[in-house]
């Protein structure tokens, strides 16, 4: 016997003759073509001019009222279909400065200038091309089945997610004042470790807050054969790198999730020259405001203390600077999470919904709930890896290509098909509640 939820879905039209599956199947060839075009032509954060124009074109053709250049190259599409709730669905637009390694016909060969004027290769190494295609497909499916729901859709295409700045830019440009204010916000994100047909779900805190920290370690340069005549910043910077790891291991509660990673260590020009400065670049990941404050203060204390211990004068002590506002921790509303995952469990099977721990990755989708209205949000992880590859990795211990890897390549067609169906079901369930 069908469950009450499936009966409700059938009543709303999701299992009628013109089903969601049939709608998606009809659109699949053009959607895969869209995906391959997006993948082959990525653009960097805050440079998504052509990508955003394409997204605007796609939903404008469906009857959405479209506004472009919201918070940079952000796109907002509004589709009103009678009285009812308002549901926001987000995709992100930007690619990464990664050189793709692969042989598929649609491999990215894009090279462009970054903000510093350097030539860089660009790749959709985080699955934003899948996100955009699911977004367009969901819009098509919802418009095609508009006789089965009432309410308002707000579809937004957000710039600069990889920089953690696009959501803030759109909100500050009046997203919730200029356009219908949503009752809930929904998003999908590709997962490089989950099998196609599965979803990673976390209720409550789901991603970490992220901060980028620059440290300039000063010294007094000189000849490599006469270190006693210098203050060596490479030695001092090395001590700082090691000491930073004691923040997590010795200053915080043992189960408190924290990551302090030094991803940049630049200094020196020649084997026998001690330089006068070293530049460090850190990413700091935490899941609470209190821990974030403590970690950032500890970084300052350690750098200053080791500089003093090295005998540096006050004017040469390490300089610490925090870049930008950072990305807050994402909090999935528990009630919304339960409603969506119940729908997916019914539609795809309970085994398809996998409860997972919070990740230390960052996502600025978090900002859409951090306004005075406290709008509930939910972001889920979409499986994109062939099941046999996931199983082989489990058996052999071999790591799968991660997000941001030049080797990451999702199983596009099934991932997109399932992503569209999942988001369409989630939106219709919220509209018809």
């Amino acid at each position: 016997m069908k469950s009450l939820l499936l009966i409700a879905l059938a009543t709303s039209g999701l299992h009628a003759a013109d089903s969601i599956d049939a709608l998606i199947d009809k659109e699949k060839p053009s959607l895969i073509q869209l995906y391959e075009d997006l993948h082959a032509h990525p653009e960097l954060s805050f440079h998504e001019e052509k990508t955003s124009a394409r997204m605007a074109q796609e939903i404008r053709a469906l009857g959405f009222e479209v506004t472009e250049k919201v918070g940079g190259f952000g796109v907002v599409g509004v589709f009103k279909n009678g009285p009812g709730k308002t549901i926001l669905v987000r995709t992100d637009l930007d690619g990464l400065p990664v050189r793709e390694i692969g042989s598929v016909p649609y491999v990215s060969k894009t090279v462009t200038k970054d903000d510093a004027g350097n030539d860089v290769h660009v790749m959709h190494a985080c699955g934003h091309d899948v996100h955009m295609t699911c977004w367009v497909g969901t819009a098509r499916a919802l418009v095609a089945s508009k006789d089965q729901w009432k309410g308002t859709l707000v579809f937004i295409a957000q710039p600069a997610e990889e920089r953690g700045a696009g959501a803030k830019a759109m909100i500050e440009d009046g997203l919730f004042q200029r356009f219908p204010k949503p009752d809930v916000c929904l998003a999908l994100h590709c997962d490089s470790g989950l099998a196609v047909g599965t979803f990673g779900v976390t209720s409550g805190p789901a991603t970490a807050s992220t901060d980028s920290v620059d440290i300039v370690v000063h010294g007094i340069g000189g000849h490599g054969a006469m270190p006693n005549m210098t203050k060596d910043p490479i030695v001092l910077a090395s001590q700082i790198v090691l000491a930073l790891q004691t923040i997590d291991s010795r200053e915080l509660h043992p189960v408190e999730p924290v990551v302090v990673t030094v991803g940049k260590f630049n200094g020196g020009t020649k084997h026998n020259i001690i330089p006068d400065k070293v530049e460090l670049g850190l990413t700091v990941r935490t899941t609470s405001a209190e821990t974030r404050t403590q970690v950032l203060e500890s970084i300052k204390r350690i750098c200053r203390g080791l500089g003093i211990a090295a005998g540096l004068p006050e004017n040469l002590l390490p300089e610490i600077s925090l870049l930008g506002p950072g990305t807050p921790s994402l909090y999935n509303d528990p009630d919304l999470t339960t409603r969506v995952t119940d729908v997916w469990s019914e539609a795809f099977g309970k085994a398809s919904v996998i409860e997972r721990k919070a990740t230390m990755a960052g996502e600025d989708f978090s900002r859409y709930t951090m306004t005075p209205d406290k709008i509930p949000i939910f972001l889920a992880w979409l499986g994109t890896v062939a099941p046999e590859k996931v199983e082989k990795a489990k058996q052999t211990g071999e790591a799968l290509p991660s997000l941001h890897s030049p080797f990451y390549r999702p199983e596009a067609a099934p991932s997109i098909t399932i992503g569209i169906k999942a988001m369409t079901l989630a939106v219709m369930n919220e509209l018809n509640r």
Side-chain angles (χ1 to χ4, degrees):
M1 178 179 287
K2 286 185 178 180
S3 71
L4 292 176
L5 183 56
L6 274 180
I7 292 171
L9 290 175
T11 303
S12 69
L14 295 180
H15 297 281
D18 191 16
S19 67
I20 297 301
D21 287 332
L23 289 169
I24 296 171
D25 191 58
K26 179 183 176 183
E27 298 292 334
K28 188 174 177 178
S30 66
L31 288 168
I32 297 305
Q33 186 178 45
L34 170 64
Y35 164 77
E36 292 179 356
D37 183 58
L38 292 169
H39 186 90
H41 303 100
E43 296 176 294
L44 292 175
S45 303
F46 284 130
H47 296 271
E48 310 96 332
E49 181 176 7
K50 294 179 181 178
T51 307
S52 66
R54 180 66 186 273
M55 294 297 98
Q57 174 191 343
E58 289 288 341
I59 60 172
R60 188 178 283 119
L62 298 173
F64 281 75
E65 182 181 337
V66 177
T67 303
E68 299 181 61
K69 297 184 179 179
V70 179
F73 286 113
V75 176
V76 179
V78 178
F79 189 94
K80 296 181 178 179
N81 189 33
K85 292 183 170 61
T86 298
I87 310 300
L88 182 148
V89 179
R90 185 212 72 167
T91 185
D92 30 23
L93 298 168
D94 47 335
L96 286 159
V98 174
R99 183 174 186 171
E100 183 169 9
I101 299 174
S103 58
V104 295
Y106 53 91
V107 68
S108 174
K109 299 177 182 177
T110 299
V111 178
T112 190
K113 298 281 187 185
D114 64 13
D115 289 346
N118 302 310
D119 289 326
V120 294
H121 293 263
V122 190
M123 175 190 174
H124 273 301
C126 202
H128 295 190
D129 44 358
V130 173
H131 305 169
M132 286 185 277
T133 309
C134 289
W135 185 82
V136 170
T138 300
R140 292 182 186 181
L142 288 166
V143 171
S145 57
K146 64 182 179 181
D147 60 328
Q148 307 300 328
W149 56 270
K150 296 294 182 184
T152 299
L153 306 175
V154 178
F155 271 51
I156 69 169
Q158 178 204 303
E161 187 277 330
E162 295 294 353
R163 297 266 292 271
K168 184 173 186 289
M170 292 191 76
I171 292 168
E172 290 180 348
D173 201 12
L175 176 63
F176 295 140
Q177 289 78 42
R178 296 165 56 189
F179 308 99
K181 188 176 296 181
D183 293 287
V184 300
C185 303
L186 301 171
L188 290 173
H189 197 297
C190 287
D191 191 291
S192 61
L194 286 176
V196 170
T198 64
F199 306 90
V201 174
T202 308
S203 183
T207 70
S209 64
T210 68
D211 289 288
S212 296
V213 180
D214 279 346
I215 303 173
V216 179
V217 181
H218 296 286
I220 299 172
H223 201 295
M226 306 172 189
N228 57 305
M229 304 293 290
T230 73
K231 296 293 183 184
D232 192 337
I234 288 181
V235 171
L236 176 55
S238 300
Q239 292 172 328
I240 288 172
V241 170
L242 294 176
L244 292 177
Q245 303 311 309
T246 66
I247 297 173
D248 182 24
S249 66
R250 289 297 178 269
E251 296 189 30
L252 299 168
H253 192 284
V255 299
E256 181 72 15
V258 172
V259 173
V260 179
T261 293
V262 180
K264 182 178 78 172
F265 192 127
N266 295 333
T269 58
K270 199 172 184 296
H271 301 71
N272 63 347
I273 298 175
I274 292 174
D276 58 9
K277 74 174 181 178
V278 169
E279 296 177 345
L280 301 178
L282 283 61
T283 185
V284 177
R285 310 294 173 110
T286 54
T287 57
S288 73
E290 296 77 14
T291 300
R292 175 179 180 267
T293 298
Q294 182 178 348
V295 171
L296 294 177
E297 287 302 316
S298 293
I299 290 171
K300 295 175 184 177
R301 187 197 73 244
I302 287 170
C303 290
R304 178 177 175 82
L306 287 174
I308 293 171
L312 290 175
E314 185 73 26
N315 66 317
L316 290 181
L317 291 177
E319 298 177 44
I320 300 94
S321 56
L322 190 63
L323 303 184
T327 301
S329 176
L330 185 150
Y331 183 86
N332 278 334
D333 179 80
D335 290 339
L336 176 58
T337 301
T338 298
R339 294 198 300 270
V340 174
T341 53
D342 281 349
V343 171
W344 290 352
S345 294
E346 293 284 359
F348 300 101
K350 289 185 177 181
S352 68
V353 178
I354 301 170
E355 292 187 14
R356 54 177 286 175
K357 294 180 180 179
T359 174
M360 299 308 285
E363 236 297 349
D364 71 349
F365 187 66
S366 58
R367 290 195 179 275
Y368 296 112
T369 193
M370 300 182 70
T371 65
D373 300 286
K374 303 295 184 186
I375 299 166
I377 66 172
F378 172 66
L379 179 144
W381 299 92
L382 176 67
T384 63
V385 185
E388 60 271 19
K389 291 183 179 178
V390 174
E391 188 59 33
K392 181 182 177 182
K394 288 180 181 178
Q395 292 176 356
T396 64
E398 181 181 350
L400 293 164
S402 68
L403 297 177
H404 295 204
S405 162
F407 298 101
Y408 173 62
R409 184 163 296 103
E411 298 291 330
S415 300
I416 289 166
T417 299
I418 291 167
I420 293 169
K421 183 176 180 179
M423 185 57 78
T424 302
L425 289 169
V427 172
M428 292 185 74
N429 188 63
E430 288 301 305
L431 289 167
N432 289 329
R433 269 197 325 121

